Amino acid sequence: MKKRPSMVRETAAAGGVGVILMTGYAAVTTLPRGTNLELAIVICLALLTLTASIALWRFMVRHKDGIGEARFDTTKPPRD
């Protein structure tokens, strides 16, 4: 069964979001939480991870037709 191009793009978007989430999860679970400052850093990192994954997903949804495609303006003559 051949995959549709939109399905491939959605899979790529889910893969990118998954990478961000798993990297953030790994960082959050390995950082120490002994002091209030360390706990605050872990919470900020978790929020940053969630924000970045949502931002990437929204970007992929909005620009799904143009991602991976080079666009060149061929109407202008080449420069010398």
Side-chain angles (χ1 to χ4, degrees):
M1 184 174 146
K2 193 172 183 179
K3 289 186 176 182
R4 297 184 326 255
S6 63
M7 187 175 175
V8 172
R9 288 187 184 111
E10 290 169 7
T11 305
V17 171
V19 167
I20 290 174
L21 288 174
M22 294 309 294
T23 304
Y25 176 75
V28 166
T29 57
T30 57
L31 288 174
R33 292 177 200 85
T35 65
N36 289 339
L37 177 61
E38 291 172 343
L39 182 61
I41 291 172
V42 168
I43 291 171
C44 287
L45 185 59
L47 291 174
L48 180 65
T49 298
L50 288 174
T51 304
S53 61
I54 291 169
L56 177 62
W57 186 261
R58 289 183 66 194
F59 177 82
M60 294 292 285
V61 167
R62 288 181 182 171
H63 302 286
K64 63 184 172 187
D65 295 331
I67 293 176
E69 296 181 10
R71 297 181 183 182
F72 301 101
D73 185 9
T74 58
T75 60
K76 297 179 183 176
R79 287 194 227 171
D80 291 330

